[in-house]
């Protein structure tokens, strides 16, 4: 028993090292992708290093749901691949220890990882998402030049509109500048143009500075009597400058005191209980809205009460409100609409048809708009359900990838970062592509989240059971001759390439 306990400890130690290493590598690769996405917002903007470090820290935490399952898969394949490559698995099985018993301590260890992953995604991940989103928003607020885009008007601060033809990425150099100053609330009465310029901020981030070169400034001179007059022509002045410095005061917002209320109610900022409460509230709001739409259709489109006539010509009112009892059965009090209509003259029939057609078109438009509104409600509810299921999918994925990686490693019997990495990436891509594809259908409220969010798990569970059975019975194993054939193939290709290059 002590020998078996030592064996379990040995296997766990063999697993922890590759797990930590692959997890850090996965987070680093995903973090590089994050930096590439937001490189324009961060580089060359004069941000303090502590702000960038905090942003990268929160971004790294938000990448854990992708990095952790892949790290578990890689570590499992590498661990059992190393054991198989050094014939340690063979020795354990020869000593009477089955593959199930070898996997048992790591199964318990990965169950703990799965529970920790759920705790992380339910408690720490919403906090990390909130901090990262708030920090990015604060950086954009603190650095208005980030918002400038080529060829379109942007408002880096209130009442100032700026359009540029080109902005150089390696510095803050601008070309083709046009500035509309609306701070006097008088319309487009103050316009500045310049061929080139620079944009930067003061160290205390309280003033935005535009250093302009070779331009013109147009300004209308408005007096109080001019404002009261109806004349279109007003005096104005034009000035040409070789250089002009424009100072725009900013409202200073401390980054560590940014308004988190803007994002805290978003679905990716909530835990499981909050998501359930928000989903129930949205469902109740949707039900109330459906009843309102139905009541509006009944009241204003299908049946018209006498006190509901609004903006209808008097002659149409007379036709529609006249006593129609003579056209129906007075005993049963049933009105025959066709009889009423056929007893009208041609002019009355035409007016009634126009009146009915207008109401029908109005009802059709209302129904179409209401359908779009209902679909928006349903898709927003679906996003909350997706996030609720995602927290459980993450924890199950960690355990599932271990059940896939352990038998795969014992089958391929190859450790290191070669073949295990290729196999792990292929499996993870299959899982990720299936997840993203069906998640989109769930977001559009086309498929139930109970099916769409879990279908990737349903696909891999039979594969994991099959591989565990094959690895335990040694009925599926990659021989060393297979690797020799692969190596010889690439060696021949390399030798042929060298001969061709020498020619």
């Amino acid at each position: 028993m002590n020998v078996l306990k030592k064996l379990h400890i040995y296997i766990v130690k063999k697993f922890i090292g590759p797990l930590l290493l692959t997890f850090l590598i996965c987070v680093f690769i995903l973090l590089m992708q994050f930096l590439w996405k937001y490189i324009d917002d961060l580089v060359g903007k004069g941000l303090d290093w502590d702000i960038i470090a905090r942003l990268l820290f929160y971004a790294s935490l938000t990448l854990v749901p992708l990095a952790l399952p892949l790290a578990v898969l890689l570590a499992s394949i590498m661990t059992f691949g190393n054991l198989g490559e050094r014939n340690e698995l063979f020795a354990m099985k020869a000593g009477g220890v089955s593959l199930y018993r070898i996997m048992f301590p790591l199964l318990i260890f990965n169950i703990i990882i799965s529970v920790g992953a759920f705790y992380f995604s339910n408690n720490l991940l919403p906090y990390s998402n909130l901090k990262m989103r708030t920090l990015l928003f604060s950086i954009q607020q603190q650095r208005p030049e980030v918002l400038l885009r080529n060829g379109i008007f942007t408002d880096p601060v209130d009442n100032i509109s700026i359009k540029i033809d080109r902005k150089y990425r390696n510095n803050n150099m601008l070309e083709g500048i046009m500035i509309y100053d609306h701070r006097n609330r008088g319309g487009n009465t103050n316009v500045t143009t310049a061929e080139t310029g620079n944009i930067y901020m003061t160290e205390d981030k309280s003033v935005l500075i535009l250093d302009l070169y070779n331009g013109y400034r147009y300004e209308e001179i408005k007096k109080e009597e001019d404002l009261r007059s109806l004349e279109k022509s007003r005096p104005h002045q034009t000035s040409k400058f070789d250089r002009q410095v424009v100072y725009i005061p900013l409202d200073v917002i401390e980054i560590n005191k940014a308004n988190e209320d803007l994002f805290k109610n978003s679905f990716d900022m909530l835990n499981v209980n909050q998501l359930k409460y928000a989903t129930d509230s949205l469902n109740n709001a949707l039900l109330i809205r459906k009843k309102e739409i139905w009541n509006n259709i009944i009241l204003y489109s299908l049946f018209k009460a006498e006190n509901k006539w609004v903006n209808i010509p008097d002659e149409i009112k007379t036709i529609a409100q006249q006593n129609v009892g003579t056209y129906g059965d007075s005993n049963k009090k049933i009105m025959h609409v066709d009889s009423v209509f056929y007893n009208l003259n041609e002019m009355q029939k035409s007016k009634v048809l126009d009146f009915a057609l207008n109401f029908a078109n109005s009802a059709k438009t209302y129904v179409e708009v209401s359908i779009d509104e209902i679909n928006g409600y349903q898709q927003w509810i679906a996003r909350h359900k997706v996030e609720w299921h995602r927290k459980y999918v993450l924890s199950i994925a960690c355990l599932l990838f271990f059940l896939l990686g352990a038998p795969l490693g014992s089958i391929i019997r190859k450790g290191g970062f070669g073949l295990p990495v290729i196999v792990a990436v292929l499996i993870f891509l299959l899982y990720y592509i299936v997840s993203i594809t069906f998640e989109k259908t769930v977001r559009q409220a086309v498929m139930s989240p109970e099916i769409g969010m879990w279908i990737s798990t349903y696909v891999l569970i039979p594969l994991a059971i099959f591989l565990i059975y094959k690895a335990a019975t040694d009925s599926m194993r990659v021989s060393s001759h297979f690797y020799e054939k692969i190596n010889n193939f690439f060696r021949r290709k390399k030798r042929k390439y060298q001969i061709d290059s020498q020619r």
Side-chain angles (χ1 to χ4, degrees), residues 384-482:
H384 286 73
K385 291 182 178 180
V386 164
E387 199 64 30
W388 188 88
H389 283 274
R390 194 197 308 277
K391 298 182 184 302
Y392 293 95
V393 170
L394 167 65
S395 58
I396 298 300
C398 295
L399 183 60
L400 177 61
F401 279 139
F402 164 72
L403 297 177
L404 277 169
L408 267 176
S410 62
I411 289 172
I412 63 178
R413 296 191 303 168
K414 204 72 175 175
F417 283 94
L419 187 60
V421 174
I422 298 174
V423 175
V425 169
L426 290 176
I427 294 176
F428 186 79
L429 283 178
L430 172 65
Y431 174 84
Y432 187 73
I433 290 172
V434 173
S435 299
I436 292 298
T437 302
F438 285 91
E439 182 180 323
K440 288 183 178 179
T441 62
V442 176
R443 289 182 180 180
Q444 298 298 322
V446 176
M447 182 180 290
S448 170
E450 289 79 9
I451 298 176
M453 291 299 296
W454 291 92
I455 197 165
S456 56
T457 304
Y458 301 151
V459 169
L460 293 184
I461 285 178
L463 179 60
I465 296 174
F466 172 78
L467 291 175
I468 291 174
Y469 172 76
K470 288 295 185 179
T473 58
D474 285 331
S475 57
M476 184 179 179
R477 188 168 58 180
V478 180
S479 63
S480 58
H481 298 291
F482 175 76

Side-chain angles (χ1 to χ4, degrees), residues 265-293:
N265 292 324
S266 179
F267 54 85
D268 52 346
M269 314 294 177
L270 307 177
N271 58 32
V272 169
N273 294 329
Q274 292 170 335
L275 285 169
K276 185 173 178 56
Y277 178 81
T279 303
D280 292 339
S281 301
L282 289 171
N283 281 322
N284 291 333
L286 177 60
L287 182 62
I288 293 173
R289 184 56 186 150
K290 285 182 177 179
K291 290 181 179 179
E292 291 177 352
I293 293 171

Side-chain angles (χ1 to χ4, degrees), residues 2 5 21 23 129 132 177 190 195 218 222 261 274 290 308 328 373 378 439 444-445 456 459 468 479 494:
N2 291 331
K5 182 178 180 181
L21 180 61
F23 176 72
N129 285 330
M132 189 193 73
I177 305 168
N190 193 329
E195 294 181 2
Y218 307 89
K222 290 187 176 182
D261 294 338
Q274 292 170 335
K290 285 182 177 179
K308 299 294 183 182
E373 182 182 358
Q378 292 175 342
E439 182 180 323
Q444 298 298 322
S456 56
V459 169
I468 291 174
S479 63
K494 182 179 180 181

Side-chain angles (χ1 to χ4, degrees), residues 71-301:
V72 170
L73 179 60
L74 276 168
S76 302
I77 297 177
M78 292 172 61
T79 300
F80 281 83
N82 286 325
L83 293 176
E85 188 176 11
R86 295 195 294 264
N87 294 321
E88 291 177 306
L89 277 180
F90 178 77
M92 294 176 193
K93 291 179 181 180
V97 183
S98 65
L99 180 65
Y100 304 114
R101 193 66 181 176
I102 297 171
M103 291 174 57
F104 180 75
L106 292 183
L107 178 64
I108 300 300
F109 185 76
N110 280 278
I111 289 175
I112 296 173
I113 291 178
S114 298
V115 174
F118 175 77
Y119 177 83
F120 175 86
S121 61
N122 188 49
N123 296 282
L124 298 180
L125 185 60
Y127 176 81
S128 302
N129 285 330
L130 178 60
K131 289 296 184 181
M132 189 193 73
R133 186 83 61 84
T134 304
L135 196 55
L136 276 175
F137 175 77
S138 300
I139 289 173
Q140 292 181 345
Q141 293 297 312
Q142 287 283 354
R143 308 295 301 175
E145 65 269 30
V146 173
L147 302 177
L148 296 181
R149 295 293 182 265
N150 295 340
I152 60 175
F153 279 99
T154 55
D155 300 325
V157 294
D158 293 339
N159 301 317
I160 299 290
S161 296
I162 301 177
K163 183 176 79 72
I164 59 174
D165 293 338
R166 185 178 180 184
K167 178 183 178 182
Y168 291 92
R169 300 181 64 177
N170 56 347
N171 53 36
N172 291 327
M173 188 69 178
L174 310 175
E175 288 184 356
I177 305 168
M178 179 178 292
I179 304 172
Y180 281 91
D181 189 346
H182 301 127
R183 286 178 291 183
N184 59 0
R185 307 291 182 179
N188 297 328
T189 60
N190 193 329
V191 183
T192 302
T193 62
E195 294 181 2
T196 59
N198 290 296
I199 183 170
Y200 50 91
M201 298 181 66
T202 56
E203 292 184 0
D204 59 356
K205 300 181 178 64
S206 61
V207 178
L208 180 68
I209 301 176
L210 290 168
D211 195 359
L212 308 178
Y213 297 92
N214 300 325
Y216 294 87
R217 185 170 183 268
Y218 307 89
E219 182 178 6
E220 288 188 7
I221 302 174
K222 290 187 176 182
K223 299 179 181 179
E224 191 162 343
E225 57 270 17
D226 295 330
L227 295 175
R228 291 194 298 264
S229 68
L230 298 177
E231 296 181 1
K232 295 183 179 179
S233 60
R234 292 172 180 166
H236 67 279
Q237 64 180 12
T238 303
S239 58
K240 183 179 183 300
F241 59 86
D242 295 327
R243 181 186 180 188
Q244 181 177 354
V245 181
V246 179
Y247 298 92
I248 303 175
L250 301 174
D251 295 329
V252 179
I253 304 175
E254 292 294 335
I255 288 182
N256 57 357
K257 296 181 180 179
N259 189 6
E260 297 180 355
D261 294 338
L262 296 173
F263 308 103
K264 69 177 183 180
N265 292 324
S266 179
F267 54 85
D268 52 346
M269 314 294 177
L270 307 177
N271 58 32
V272 169
N273 294 329
Q274 292 170 335
L275 285 169
K276 185 173 178 56
Y277 178 81
T279 303
D280 292 339
S281 301
L282 289 171
N283 281 322
N284 291 333
L286 177 60
L287 182 62
I288 293 173
R289 184 56 186 150
K290 285 182 177 179
K291 290 181 179 179
E292 291 177 352
I293 293 171
W294 172 249
N295 290 332
N296 289 336
I297 293 174
I298 293 296
L299 271 177
Y300 300 106
S301 298

